[in-house]
């Protein structure tokens, strides 16, 4: 019986759910523009990372098959390209509808067919004066080889003929910071033309001695699957090696070529041969090849409040008093922060307080992704300058954030912080902070464990959870984690925390086994971003067969299909794509509140998280916090506005759990309403 689905194809399905939000009439118009852009940026990164990895595997002498569906790398790439090409058709329809709706607000994107003669002449003059002088067109030949086309940048490709009838190819880079992307049409306020379309229209002016045939804007996506082991250099330290890798990524091999126009087969073949890529990877796109310009359109709509989401801002948790010292309050009671509904400020204040507290002897922290201008970094620097031991585990392998992390590590090191770069074979993805105090000769710990990064910006955009506790057992486990990291070793045992790679997956299996022993009285509830770990999938299937009720909220990749007779009929799976990125991870084992085991975690149920990274899951011991987490989880599972349920055929569909005539439940909006209400109740 087949209850597996392919990881990569499942991700494509997730991104289609993002695209669907761009076409969802219930979403405000300006916000739907954002979803269209997110769909494209998601797909770019997917091609750069996942398709890039598959293409590297394809060139390997040993054929690799995916461990759940048995698909080869080639079969996966072909299936991905087929689905992406189909979604391009859907995206084009959604994009055209968005542009039509914008016309009602006097915003238009036009081509030359819709311009008056006077406007056309004005744009031609703009091109001659403000664009053409800054372009560097070349004709490909023996003296001018095909130029390097940078990742995701726009270029015009032009098929030319000289006076002797000889065919040539011209290339014009269109990505430029000198002229704007949106070119205003003088006589029509709110009407624009994209700069690449203007360049393409007047491209003949750049090749005066040639006749222009077919032409197109193209955009190349390059492989970003870099591995530090590929550039091992004894003369480079680890940080310098990562700087070298980041530079190398910019020139890696093409994965996908997008074209704005159809060009002839001969030209396609020539481009594919020059770039060393199969023609199957060339995709015709009916929308602009780079959608980031939609944010410029949004700026022009700001006064139209109805076109945007209702303004929301994180509330201060009612369970903490920011006017008083944070540490004594934590010593009195654990604190749970729920982002973005609640502010990160209590944690920021805690760090600053620790930096200044004479009783604090050390701060140890794992950093994966941080904000560009981070108050967290400022507090760590101040703590080090105040003579405290500050140990920071900086993960330089946080993909696409390497440069920011390298710069951050320099700042911390210059201030006197001790920097380590994790373990040789494992990324450090945990969200862990340990504050050690010495009071009256005794050591005590304040520990923070989170599901999301220490990033002030994303804490207002992602749903995440952050536990701050003075539980000394949890503190001892955290201290042992940092001790192991300093020794370059993974933790092999812990009493309270679940710690990957050696004591998380096995402990989860143990707790599922406990539910299996209860049969129909067993229960497992999991909220994660992705589910790919075959070991855990098979254990969940075993539990389902034993009668255990299993509820899963999996936002993105889900390699398990529910409701398959004889295997997964006791498993319910939903996915939520909404205003905020669902990012929190929750594990629940058992029905009985008295014996229920509840965790928040940094780890998804992916093999890379459970066996190839340092991840941390923390138990919840405070009864009020456990009740809050159960409320969050149960509310999420009832979301029938943004929550889609997965069917036995693998498709995700709408559902209606709300009584007739009652508005559907949007869990994110409800959590914000509750946050606002709690503040008013406590004030």
């Amino acid at each position: 019986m087949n209850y597996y689905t392919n990881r990569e194809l499942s991700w494509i399905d997730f991104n289609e759910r993002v695209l669907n939000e761009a076409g969802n009439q219930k979403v405000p118009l300006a916000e739907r523009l954002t979803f269209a852009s997110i769909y494209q940026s998601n797909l770019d990164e997917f091609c750069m990372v996942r398709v890039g990895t598959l293409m590297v595997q394809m060139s390997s002498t040993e054929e690799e098959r995916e461990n759940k569906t048995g698909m080869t790398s080639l079969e996966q790439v072909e299936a991905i390209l087929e689905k992406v090409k189909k979604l391009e058709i859907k995206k084009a329809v959604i994009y055209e509808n968005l542009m039509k709706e914008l016309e009602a607000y006097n915003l238009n994107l036009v081509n030359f067919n819709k311009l008056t003669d006077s406007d056309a002449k004005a744009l031609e003059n703009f091109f001659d004066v403000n664009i053409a002088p800054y372009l560097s067109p070349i004709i490909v030949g023996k003296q001018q080889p095909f130029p390097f086309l940078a990742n995701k940048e726009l270029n015009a490709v032009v098929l030319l003929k000289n006076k002797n009838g000889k065919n040539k190819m011209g290339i014009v880079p269109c990505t430029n910071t000198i002229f704007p992307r949106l070119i205003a049409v003088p006589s029509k306020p709110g009407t624009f033309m994209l700069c690449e379309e203007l360049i393409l229209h007047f491209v003949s002016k750049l090749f005066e001695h040639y006749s222009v045939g077919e032409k197109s804007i193209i955009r190349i996506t390059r492989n970003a699957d870099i591995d530090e082991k590929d550039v091992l250099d004894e003369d480079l330290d680890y940080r310098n090696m990562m700087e070298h890798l980041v530079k190398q990524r910019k020139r890696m091999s093409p994965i996908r070529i997008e074209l704005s126009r159809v060009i002839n087969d001969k030209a396609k073949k020539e481009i594919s041969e020059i770039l060393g890529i199969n023609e199957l990877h060339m995709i015709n796109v009916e929308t602009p090849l780079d959608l980031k310009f939609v944010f410029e359109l949004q700026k022009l709509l700001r006064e139209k409040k109805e076109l945007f989401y209702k303004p929301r801002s994180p509330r201060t948790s009612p369970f903490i008093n920011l006017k008083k010292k944070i540490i004594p309050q934590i010593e009195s009671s654990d604190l749970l922060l729920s982002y973005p509904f609640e502010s990160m400020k209590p944690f920021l204040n805690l760090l600053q307080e620790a930096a200044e507290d004479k009783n604090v002897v050390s701060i140890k922290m794992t950093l994966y992704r941080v904000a560009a201008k981070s108050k967290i970094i400022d507090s760590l620097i101040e703590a080090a300058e105040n003579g405290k031991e500050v140990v920071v585990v900086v993960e330089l392998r946080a993909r696409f954030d390497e440069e920011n992390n390298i710069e951050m590590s320099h700042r911390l090191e210059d201030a006197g912080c001790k920097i380590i770069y994790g373990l040789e074979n494992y990324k450090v993805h945990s969200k862990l902070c340990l504050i050690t105090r010495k009071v009256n000769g005794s050591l005590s710990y304040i520990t923070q464990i989170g599901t999301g990064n220490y990033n002030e910006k994303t804490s207002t955009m992602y749903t995440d959870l952050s536990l701050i506790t003075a539980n000394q057992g949890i503190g001892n486990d955290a201290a042992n984690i940092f001790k192991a990291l300093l020794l370059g070793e993974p933790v092999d045992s812990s009493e309270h925390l679940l710690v990957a790679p050696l004591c998380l997956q096995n402990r989860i299996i143990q707790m599922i086994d406990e539910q299996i022993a209860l049969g129909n009285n067993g229960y497992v509830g999991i909220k994660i971003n992705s589910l790919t770990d075959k070991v855990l999938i098979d254990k969940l299937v075993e539990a389902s067969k034993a009668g255990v009720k299993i509820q899963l909220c999996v936002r993105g990749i889900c390699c398990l299909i529910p409701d398959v007779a004889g295997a997964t009929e006791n498993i319910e799976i939903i996915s939520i794509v909404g205003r905020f990125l669902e990012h929190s991870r929750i594990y629940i084992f058992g029905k009985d509140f008295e014996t229920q085991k509840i965790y928040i975690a940094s780890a998804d149920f992916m093999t890379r998280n459970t066996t190839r990274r340092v991840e941390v899951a923390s138990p919840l011991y405070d009864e009020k916090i456990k009740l809050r987490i159960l409320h969050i989880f149960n509310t999420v599972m009832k979301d029938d506005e943004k929550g889609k349920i997965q069917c036995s055929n693998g498709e995700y569909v709408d559902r209606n759990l709300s009584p007739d005539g009652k508005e559907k439940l949007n869990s994110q909006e409800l959590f914000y309403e509750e946050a606002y209400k709690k503040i008013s109740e406590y004030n």
Side-chain angles (χ1 to χ4, degrees):
M1 61 195 81
N2 186 9
Y3 45 77
Y4 296 124
T5 190
N6 176 264
R7 166 193 171 136
E8 319 304 348
L9 300 183
S10 177
W11 185 91
I12 296 289
D13 290 339
F14 153 68
N15 207 31
E16 183 176 7
R17 296 195 290 278
V18 174
L19 180 61
N20 289 341
E21 288 300 287
N24 184 349
Q25 293 291 324
K26 292 183 178 180
V27 176
L29 177 57
E31 308 291 355
R32 283 154 56 200
L33 294 172
T34 300
F35 279 108
S37 182
I38 291 173
Y39 168 82
Q40 183 186 60
S41 59
N42 281 352
L43 188 56
D44 286 346
E45 185 170 328
F46 175 76
C47 289
M48 292 162 66
V49 178
R50 294 305 306 169
V51 180
T53 300
L54 291 170
M55 291 181 70
V56 170
Q57 292 174 1
M58 284 165 54
S59 62
S60 174
T61 54
E62 295 184 11
E63 184 178 54
E64 294 189 38
R65 289 185 177 271
E66 192 261 334
N67 70 348
K68 289 174 278 292
T69 60
M71 296 175 73
T72 65
S73 299
L74 175 60
E75 289 170 342
Q76 292 178 79
V77 169
E78 290 177 342
I80 289 167
L81 291 173
E82 182 180 350
K83 292 193 87 165
V84 167
K85 289 174 182 178
K86 287 181 180 177
L87 284 178
E88 280 301 332
I89 297 171
K90 183 175 189 176
K91 184 181 78 171
V93 172
I94 290 173
Y95 175 81
E96 286 301 319
N97 288 336
L98 287 171
M99 293 301 107
K100 287 178 182 176
E101 289 186 56
L102 286 175
E103 291 177 7
Y105 299 93
N106 298 316
L107 274 185
N108 295 272
L109 281 188
V110 297
N111 55 36
F112 267 82
N113 296 331
K114 297 181 179 180
L115 294 181
T116 64
D117 290 343
S118 60
D119 283 333
K121 188 63 180 175
L123 286 180
E124 182 176 7
N125 183 65
F126 184 90
F127 173 82
D128 292 339
V129 175
N130 298 294
I131 294 182
Y134 304 104
L135 298 176
S136 301
I138 73 164
I139 294 175
V140 178
K142 291 182 179 179
Q143 280 72 42
Q144 296 94 7
F146 196 94
F148 176 78
L149 304 183
N151 186 40
K152 298 193 292 183
E153 292 193 353
L154 302 176
N155 292 272
V157 172
V158 190
L159 305 184
L160 306 166
K161 274 190 179 181
N162 62 18
K163 294 177 181 178
N164 299 323
K166 191 172 182 179
N167 294 322
K168 293 282 187 177
M169 182 180 293
I171 305 290
V172 185
C174 299
T175 300
N176 199 310
T177 58
I178 297 173
F179 45 80
R181 180 84 188 283
L182 291 175
I183 309 297
V185 176
S187 69
K188 299 177 180 177
T191 300
F192 302 92
M193 178 176 289
L194 293 172
C195 68
E196 66 267 24
E197 290 297 325
L198 190 62
I199 292 169
L200 200 63
H201 185 81
F202 289 116
V203 76
S204 60
K205 289 191 163 201
L206 305 174
F207 301 101
E208 293 180 348
H209 302 298
Y210 294 83
S211 60
V212 174
E214 297 179 50
K215 55 188 179 181
S216 177
I217 303 297
I218 69 170
R219 179 174 180 263
I220 293 176
T221 313
R222 293 184 177 274
N223 185 7
D225 182 31
I226 59 175
D227 188 338
E228 67 272 15
K229 295 175 184 176
D230 294 338
V231 291
L232 189 61
D233 188 333
E234 293 180 357
D235 295 329
L236 295 175
D237 67 18
Y238 187 76
R239 184 165 58 198
N240 289 338
M241 183 182 68
M242 289 304 299
E243 289 174 335
H244 178 78
L245 276 172
V246 171
K247 292 177 182 177
Q248 177 183 308
R249 173 187 285 154
K250 296 176 182 178
R251 300 191 65 86
M252 291 181 73
S253 59
I255 298 299
R256 173 186 59 164
I257 302 175
E258 297 169 285
L259 301 99
S260 69
R261 307 280 195 285
V262 176
I263 60 176
N264 67 50
D265 291 342
K266 182 180 178 182
K268 286 179 68 174
K269 183 178 180 182
E270 183 178 350
I271 293 171
S272 68
E273 288 176 352
I274 289 170
L275 294 173
I277 191 170
N278 191 294
E279 287 183 49
L280 288 175
H281 293 251
M282 303 182 78
I283 301 173
N284 289 318
V285 177
E286 298 295 325
T287 64
L289 302 188
D290 184 341
L291 292 177
K292 288 196 292 290
F293 70 89
V294 300
F295 299 110
E296 295 299 315
L297 297 179
Q298 283 182 338
K299 290 179 183 178
L300 299 171
L301 294 168
R302 280 296 166 193
E303 293 183 3
K304 307 286 185 182
K305 302 298 183 185
E306 71 276 13
L307 301 184
F308 293 87
Y309 285 126
K310 180 180 178 181
R312 296 288 200 184
S313 60
R315 304 287 90 187
T316 300
S317 169
F319 304 107
I320 197 82
N321 187 340
L322 295 181
K323 295 179 181 179
K324 296 181 179 180
K325 293 286 187 180
I326 303 293
I327 290 175
Q329 295 180 72
I330 300 301
E331 289 176 328
S332 173
S333 178
D334 290 355
L335 174 67
L336 181 79
L337 301 176
S338 178
Y339 309 144
F341 320 105
E342 294 176 338
S343 170
M344 193 189 226
K345 196 167 183 181
F347 175 68
L348 299 177
N349 285 11
L350 170 67
L351 268 187
Q352 185 59 34
E353 185 178 313
E356 300 169 356
D357 187 341
K358 61 182 178 60
N359 293 320
V360 169
V361 295
S362 71
I363 302 174
K364 298 173 183 176
M365 199 169 184
T366 61
L367 295 181
Y368 194 74
R369 302 184 195 274
V370 298
K373 296 180 180 179
S374 174
K375 293 180 181 178
I376 291 168
I377 301 301
D378 292 342
S379 292
L380 293 175
I381 288 173
E382 183 172 340
E385 291 174 343
N386 287 341
K388 304 182 189 307
E389 180 190 33
V390 178
V391 177
V392 186
V393 183
V394 179
E395 182 51 77
L396 298 186
R397 294 164 294 186
R399 203 183 306 268
F400 304 120
D401 268 355
E402 296 97 341
E403 290 178 272
N404 186 44
N405 286 5
I406 288 167
E407 173 60 28
M408 173 185 66
S409 71
H410 281 294
R411 285 187 61 207
L412 290 167
E413 195 170 58
D414 290 345
C417 302
K418 183 172 184 177
I419 307 298
I420 57 176
Y421 300 117
L423 304 183
E424 183 177 352
N425 297 314
Y426 306 100
K427 279 188 180 183
V428 178
H429 188 253
S430 58
K431 325 301 178 187
L432 186 64
C433 177
L434 179 68
I435 298 169
T436 304
R437 303 174 76 235
K438 189 174 183 180
V439 182
N440 298 325
S442 299
L443 284 180
S444 65
Y445 298 118
I446 300 291
T447 311
Q448 183 275 339
I449 308 101
T451 68
N453 296 305
Y454 296 112
N455 188 312
E456 296 96 315
K457 182 178 179 181
T458 58
S459 73
T460 66
M461 301 160 62
Y462 297 0
T463 74
D464 269 309
L465 298 164
S466 175
L467 174 70
I468 307 175
T469 179
N471 182 289
Q472 297 307 293
I474 289 176
N476 283 326
D477 277 359
N480 287 332
I481 292 171
F482 282 107
K483 180 180 178 181
L485 288 172
L486 284 164
L487 295 174
E489 303 168 352
V491 171
D492 57 9
S493 65
S494 61
E495 183 179 353
H496 300 270
L497 301 176
L498 311 182
V499 189
L502 300 181
C503 44
L504 185 142
Q505 186 194 66
N506 56 342
R507 299 270 291 275
I508 291 171
I509 289 172
Q510 178 184 336
M511 287 185 280
I512 297 176
D513 279 334
E514 291 171 357
Q515 299 307 307
I516 290 174
L518 298 174
N520 293 335
N521 292 320
Y523 174 79
V524 175
I526 305 291
K527 181 181 183 296
I528 47 180
N529 300 318
S530 300
L531 173 60
T532 69
D533 186 325
K534 189 173 184 297
V535 173
L536 292 180
I537 289 173
D538 289 345
K539 181 56 67 172
L540 289 171
V541 173
E542 181 185 342
S544 173
K545 290 179 179 178
V548 177
K549 182 182 179 183
I550 300 168
Q551 290 185 304
L552 306 176
C553 178
V554 186
R555 184 198 77 222
I557 304 167
C558 184
C559 293
L560 176 62
I561 298 176
D563 205 26
V564 175
T568 61
E569 61 261 70
N570 289 313
I571 299 177
E572 175 188 4
I573 301 176
I574 70 163
S575 169
I576 293 177
V577 176
R579 174 177 181 173
F580 306 104
L581 181 79
E582 287 292 337
H583 195 255
S584 58
R585 289 93 165 189
I586 298 170
Y587 312 156
I588 303 170
F589 304 95
K591 292 180 181 178
D592 185 359
F593 183 76
E594 297 301 320
T595 58
Q596 211 167 35
K597 297 177 181 179
I598 304 177
Y599 294 79
I600 64 168
S602 63
D604 289 313
F605 281 13
M606 303 180 77
T607 307
R608 73 181 189 192
N609 296 103
T610 58
T611 66
R612 297 201 296 270
R613 290 184 174 183
V614 176
E615 305 273 11
V616 173
S618 176
L620 303 178
Y621 295 138
D622 184 284
E623 288 196 359
K624 290 181 180 178
I625 290 177
K626 286 176 68 175
L627 287 170
R628 278 192 72 192
I629 292 296
L630 289 173
H631 169 66
I632 290 170
F633 184 83
N634 291 332
T635 302
V636 161
M637 291 305 299
K638 294 174 183 176
D639 189 321
D640 56 353
E641 178 61 52
K642 296 301 181 182
K644 311 299 179 187
I645 191 164
Q646 188 184 13
C647 303
S648 58
N649 62 1
E651 293 183 3
Y652 287 81
V653 299
D654 292 334
R655 58 183 183 158
N656 189 2
L657 304 178
S658 303
D660 291 341
K662 188 174 181 181
E663 187 176 348
K664 286 188 173 186
L665 172 64
N666 183 325
S667 59
Q668 294 180 354
E669 287 299 319
L670 177 63
F671 293 145
Y672 244 125
E673 291 293 342
E674 290 177 346
Y676 275 78
K677 184 179 179 182
K678 284 177 184 174
I679 287 298
S680 63
E681 287 178 352
Y682 279 77
N683 286 340

